[in-house]
């Protein structure tokens, strides 16, 4: 019989040694209602080269956990928008985590209350404008959901 080695990844979370050092995976195991969003999502999509100091997660409105502020940047979203555009993406360590889709992220990062750095937004839109896989119709749908249509349209008009 083969010995299986488990290590403590985080409080109450155990895994194999190859999971060690993957903060995205570990934080999502611990905070399973959180969906990786904003700058952290852009990093996972390789639309930003800035490694986030704290991972940004979005939770449904009303979700409370007093210990979160020290570990992650929390955002809350209305229930009807919370699950919109959720997908799985591989982390740099090859683990799958829940992240908002690239098109949703692009529509949402321009909201002032999300406080995404303007430089990150500009670089992300420049990259989005040149990739062949972009879906402008879907981007405009998400921007209508988040009331960012004018801002998204301004970025696209300059870049396309």
């Amino acid at each position: 019989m083969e010995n299986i080695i488990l290590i403590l990844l985080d409080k109450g979370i155990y895994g194999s040694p190859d999971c060690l050092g993957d903060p995205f995976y570990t934080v999502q195991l611990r905070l399973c209602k959180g969906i990786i969003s904003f700058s952290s999502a852009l990093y996972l999509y390789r639309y930003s080269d800035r490694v986030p100091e704290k991972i940004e997660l979005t939770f449904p409105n009303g979700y409370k956990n007093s210990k979160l502020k020290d570990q992650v940047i929390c955002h809350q979203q209305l229930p009807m928008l919370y699950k919109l555009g959720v997908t799985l993406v591989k982390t740099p360590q090859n683990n799958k985590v829940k992240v908002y889709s690239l098109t949703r992220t692009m529509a949402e990062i321009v909201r002032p209350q999300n406080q995404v750095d303007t430089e990150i937004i500009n670089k992300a839109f420049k990259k989005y404008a040149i990739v062949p896989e972009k879906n402008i119709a879907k981007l405009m749908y998400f921007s209508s959901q988040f009331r960012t249509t004018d801002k998204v349209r301004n970025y696209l008009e300059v870049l396309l």
Side-chain angles (χ1 to χ4, degrees), residues 12 20 35 75 104 131 147 154-156:
L20 190 62
I35 299 171
H75 301 275
R104 176 194 166 131
V131 295
R147 297 184 176 105
N154 287 340
Y155 275 101
L156 293 177

Side-chain angles (χ1 to χ4, degrees), residues 4-134:
I4 298 174
I5 298 173
L6 291 178
I7 57 170
L8 180 65
L9 298 173
D10 202 344
K11 186 179 178 180
I13 305 292
Y14 294 86
S16 64
D18 59 331
C19 292
L20 190 62
D22 190 344
F24 293 98
Y25 185 67
T26 305
V27 80
Q28 196 158 76
L29 284 175
R30 225 169 110 258
L31 304 167
C32 56
K33 285 200 176 207
I35 299 171
I36 297 171
S37 53
F38 305 107
S39 299
S40 299
L42 290 175
Y43 176 76
L44 290 177
Y45 285 117
R46 294 175 180 82
Y47 272 59
S48 172
D49 55 2
R50 281 194 209 169
V51 179
E53 288 180 35
K54 289 185 176 182
I55 296 171
E56 291 186 78
L57 294 173
T58 298
F59 296 91
N61 261 3
Y63 185 83
K64 302 251 190 279
N65 185 332
S66 60
K67 297 176 183 173
L68 292 178
K69 291 179 185 172
D70 298 335
Q71 301 162 356
V72 298
I73 297 171
C74 296
H75 301 275
Q76 292 197 2
Q77 189 55 263
L78 298 170
M80 62 182 256
L81 297 174
Y82 166 69
K83 291 189 177 184
L84 190 67
V86 177
T87 189
L88 292 175
V89 170
K90 286 188 177 183
T91 66
Q93 289 79 12
N94 225 19
N95 295 301
K96 287 185 179 180
V97 291
K98 289 184 296 186
V99 181
Y100 285 120
S101 71
L102 179 60
T103 49
R104 176 194 166 131
T105 300
M106 297 301 292
E108 209 174 5
I109 59 173
V110 296
R111 295 175 83 192
Q113 64 265 38
N114 297 329
Q115 300 175 339
V116 177
D117 186 333
T118 308
E119 184 182 334
I120 290 175
I121 294 171
N122 289 337
K123 285 183 179 180
F125 268 96
K126 284 178 185 173
K127 185 168 182 176
Y128 188 82
I130 61 171
V131 295
E133 306 87 38
K134 67 183 165 286

